[in-house]
Amino acid sequence: EEERIAYAIHVRGFTKDTYSKVKNKGTFQGVIEKIPYLKDLGINQIQCMPVYEFEEAGMRVNYWGYGPGYYFAPKSAYAKD
């Protein structure tokens, strides 16, 4: 059995920064662009922090997405278009 090396990522946070060197910053497509980099590190499994549709505004900004949400709807802000 192959050893599992997991890595937890936040789609927006992992790809939004200039140093991520991806074309599609802050998106699912940006994560796909980073797969070769992750593989080079030996990572063979990723766990994404919430990727479902959630309310970002309120009393405080909900950057991470934990809390109430639409669990079966992908986060539209993370879509390329």
Side-chain angles (χ1 to χ4, degrees), residues 12 54-65:
R12 184 181 293 149
F54 59 87
E55 193 68 40
E56 294 185 70
M59 290 181 65
R60 296 187 303 200
V61 174
N62 181 12
Y63 180 81
W64 299 105

Side-chain angles (χ1 to χ4, degrees), residues 61-76:
V61 174
N62 181 12
Y63 180 81
W64 299 105
Y66 292 104
Y70 302 95
Y71 304 115
F72 298 104
K75 182 76 175 143
S76 61

Side-chain angles (χ1 to χ4, degrees), residues 31-74:
V31 173
I32 291 168
E33 291 176 53
K34 296 295 288 183
I35 289 175
Y37 167 74
L38 294 168
K39 286 176 122 180
D40 284 347
L41 294 177
I43 295 164
N44 54 23
Q45 177 187 20
I46 61 169
Q47 174 188 346
C48 294
M49 292 178 186
V51 294
Y52 50 77
E53 194 62 56
F54 59 87
E55 193 68 40
E56 294 185 70
M59 290 181 65
R60 296 187 303 200
V61 174
N62 181 12
Y63 180 81
W64 299 105
Y66 292 104
Y70 302 95
Y71 304 115
F72 298 104

Side-chain angles (χ1 to χ4, degrees), residues 7-21:
Y7 191 70
I9 64 167
H10 181 275
V11 171
R12 184 181 293 149
F14 185 62
T15 62
K16 193 72 173 173
D17 194 276
T18 305
Y19 293 107
S20 70
K21 299 178 183 171

